[in-house]
Amino acid sequence: MDEIASITDTNLTETQFYNRADEINMLSSLLGTTEFNSSPTILLTGIRGVGKTALIKKIKHKFDKEYLVVDIDLSRSNAYQQKKLSRGSIIKIIYDAIIKASKEFGLRTLDKKIEKYFKTNKFKIDKILSYEHIPVPVFESEENYARLADFVMELPQKIYEDNSDKLKGVFIFIDEIQLIKDLDNVDKFLWYMRSFIQNQKNVAYLFCGSMSLKDSLINDLNGKEGAFGGRMLTIEIHPFSKQTTREYIESIPRNILLDDGGFERFYKCTRGIPYYINIFAKILPENITLTENNIIELFKDSIDYLAVHFIFMWSKLTFQEQKIIISLLGNPKRRIEIANTLEVTSGSLNRPLNRLLDFDLIEYVNDKYQITDPILTYWLQNSHEKNGIYPFRSI
């Protein structure tokens, strides 16, 4: 019998993947039009932990027998992990993912066509590595970036045209798209991508990111003045409702018992976010009816597990950024109020506030800044309650 999904597991079994039938049907219908030259460009958004990546994996498995599905996770790339994410590295990430997906699908003639392209276009190549007999070039300089980028962006369409007898279309899924905010000239890069995407047939793009609809990148992508100018379909994945959360808990192959007060507190703690539900449910004892007070105490004991992502992020923040978040624990504040609390000038907060917004640790609502996720608030408050201080220096 399946256990509760691991907090890092995105390839879920039928039992572990719960609900989302409406989202699956909607995305499947939209993507299915790719077969008929009507290729959608989709932006899938939602707060971290709501299940976007697991949903993408589910869609991938549904289509990968008839479509070439290129699944890219920017956060798992070497370039991002080594803090070297650039326009060139993203193009290389896309290229590598296309090659890998093509090989797995069994498109055997791709290697010769790519090799011919590099030989006939006089690229300055330092050396050519091989991914299962398919050439992967290593360039000696950045001089070839423009031509290589054009080639990579045109490659999905070329693959479809050369294999239309085997493929109904090509899907390019790019997960953790919010990470491109690290790039210089993000807007320019998005307009560049759009110049190719808008002209492609039988090739659909799905961008996925952990961000709210208030995120500045949404406007850069699909705002009135954005690269895609409203032509991108934006779909927000929401947390589970109370009823769905209750049904999900009852479906879990552990005998978790909650009275009405216990369930209400459980839902308040997890807010219907599958990531938090799974972590908390793994910790709850079985065969004991848990009350509201039980859940409150268990929640305090498990907060370090629930907040593991924020603990990692916290350790990467500057002292001033940490102090800004601490200042917001009581209530949302205007910029001038934060400045007064920290005894600094308002202008000195530009960079740290923008970084915290980019990290999705705070958000700007009704002219005030506030902490995005209550779990971060609970963790900091709990740390102060236990230790008498906030964890500024070490975790």
Side-chain angles (χ1 to χ4, degrees):
M1 184 176 292
D2 293 322
E3 266 290 355
I4 303 169
S6 166
I7 61 174
T8 59
D9 193 0
T10 56
N11 289 301
L12 306 184
T13 66
E14 290 297 326
T15 305
Q16 291 171 336
F17 190 94
Y18 191 79
N19 200 34
R20 303 304 186 200
D22 291 342
E23 290 90 340
I24 290 172
N25 290 336
M26 180 191 300
L27 288 168
S28 297
S29 296
L30 290 171
L31 291 168
T33 63
T34 304
E35 179 184 0
F36 308 105
N37 295 327
S38 178
S39 306
T41 303
I42 301 169
L43 176 61
L44 196 65
T45 72
I47 58 178
R48 185 172 297 278
V50 81
K52 300 180 298 301
T53 300
L55 180 60
I56 288 176
K57 300 294 185 186
K58 195 76 171 177
I59 295 293
K60 179 181 186 295
H61 293 320
K62 182 172 182 176
F63 284 98
D64 62 8
K65 297 294 187 294
E66 297 178 305
Y67 292 78
L68 179 66
V69 184
V70 181
D71 189 7
I72 303 162
D73 185 342
L74 294 180
S75 69
R76 295 182 181 272
S77 67
N78 287 330
Y80 173 72
Q81 293 297 331
Q82 296 178 19
K83 298 184 179 180
K84 295 181 179 179
L85 200 64
S86 65
R87 294 171 63 182
S89 67
I90 290 176
I91 291 296
K92 183 67 163 52
I93 290 166
I94 295 172
Y95 175 77
D96 290 345
I98 291 173
I99 295 301
K100 183 174 184 292
S102 298
K103 188 67 177 179
E104 290 173 348
F105 195 91
L107 303 180
R108 301 296 180 187
T109 61
L110 187 63
D111 53 344
K112 297 185 183 302
K113 292 178 179 177
I114 291 178
E115 187 172 12
K116 179 181 178 182
Y117 175 84
F118 287 128
K119 286 181 177 179
T120 58
N121 281 272
K122 298 181 180 178
F123 282 88
K124 293 181 179 179
I125 299 175
D126 182 36
K127 57 183 175 179
I128 293 182
L129 304 179
S130 176
Y131 176 80
E132 296 188 9
H133 308 298
I134 294 180
V136 180
V138 178
F139 297 102
E140 62 183 21
S141 72
E142 292 295 323
E143 295 176 9
N144 298 288
Y145 165 74
R147 280 192 293 166
L148 176 65
D150 290 352
F151 168 69
V152 172
M153 292 304 300
E154 292 169 351
L155 187 56
Q157 183 70 51
K158 291 182 182 298
I159 289 174
Y160 171 74
E161 291 171 356
D162 291 343
N163 297 278
S164 58
D165 58 328
K166 305 181 187 71
L167 299 172
K168 289 185 176 180
V170 178
F171 298 157
I172 309 293
F173 294 169
I174 304 181
D175 199 4
E176 303 292 355
I177 189 63
Q178 76 279 1
L179 299 181
I180 69 170
K181 290 189 286 187
D182 288 349
L183 301 181
D184 295 329
N185 298 318
V186 172
D187 189 57
K188 184 177 179 180
F189 184 63
L190 291 174
W191 278 96
Y192 171 79
M193 293 186 71
R194 185 240 169 150
S195 69
F196 289 91
I197 291 172
Q198 68 178 348
N199 295 318
Q200 292 181 344
K201 305 295 183 183
N202 302 99
V203 181
Y205 288 80
L206 187 152
F207 301 97
C208 180
S210 296
M211 49 191 170
S212 71
L213 292 177
K214 308 181 191 75
D215 195 288
S216 61
L217 183 61
I218 302 290
N219 189 58
D220 292 337
L221 279 164
N222 206 34
K224 185 177 180 181
E225 304 298 327
F228 290 87
R231 296 176 179 84
M232 183 179 284
L233 301 170
T234 302
I235 299 173
E236 184 176 12
I237 305 301
H238 297 281
F240 289 166
S241 66
K242 279 188 180 182
Q243 183 61 32
T244 301
T245 300
R246 186 184 290 276
E247 292 170 354
Y248 178 48
I249 293 172
E250 291 173 353
S251 76
I252 290 172
R254 298 183 71 238
N255 192 28
I256 298 173
L257 305 175
L258 302 167
D259 68 13
D260 288 342
F263 172 75
E264 289 294 325
R265 178 59 62 172
F266 180 92
Y267 187 77
K268 183 177 181 180
C269 290
T270 62
R271 300 178 0 264
I273 299 171
Y275 176 82
Y276 294 140
I277 293 173
N278 288 336
I279 297 176
F280 203 10
K282 280 179 175 288
I283 295 168
L284 297 183
E286 296 185 74
N287 305 316
I288 300 173
T289 301
L290 302 170
T291 66
E292 179 177 10
N293 287 336
N294 294 145
I295 294 297
I296 290 173
E297 292 304 313
L298 288 165
F299 181 71
K300 288 182 179 179
D301 292 340
S302 63
I303 191 65
D304 285 352
Y305 298 100
L306 292 163
V308 63
H309 168 71
F310 295 113
I311 294 172
F312 172 77
M313 292 293 295
W314 181 262
S315 67
K316 304 298 181 183
L317 300 181
T318 66
F319 182 52
Q320 187 179 40
E321 290 163 354
Q322 291 176 342
K323 288 176 67 177
I324 289 172
I325 291 179
I326 295 297
S327 75
L328 297 175
L329 287 176
N331 53 275
K333 288 183 173 64
R334 299 180 187 276
R335 178 192 289 246
I336 189 63
E337 294 172 326
I338 298 173
N340 290 338
T341 300
L342 272 58
E343 298 181 344
V344 298
T345 63
S346 179
S348 69
L349 296 178
N350 284 341
R351 177 176 170 78
L353 284 173
N354 286 334
R355 272 174 47 90
L356 292 173
L357 287 168
D358 287 343
F359 290 152
D360 200 30
L361 295 177
I362 64 172
E363 57 188 355
Y364 189 63
V365 181
N366 298 325
D367 298 324
K368 292 184 177 182
Y369 294 92
Q370 63 187 31
I371 296 173
T372 304
D373 195 321
I375 292 293
L376 175 57
T377 298
Y378 296 146
W379 173 68
L380 288 168
Q381 290 173 336
N382 193 56
S383 295
H384 190 273
E385 182 180 327
K386 288 195 303 182
N387 304 314
I389 56 172
Y390 292 110
F392 285 114
R393 292 182 63 92
S394 62
I395 304 300

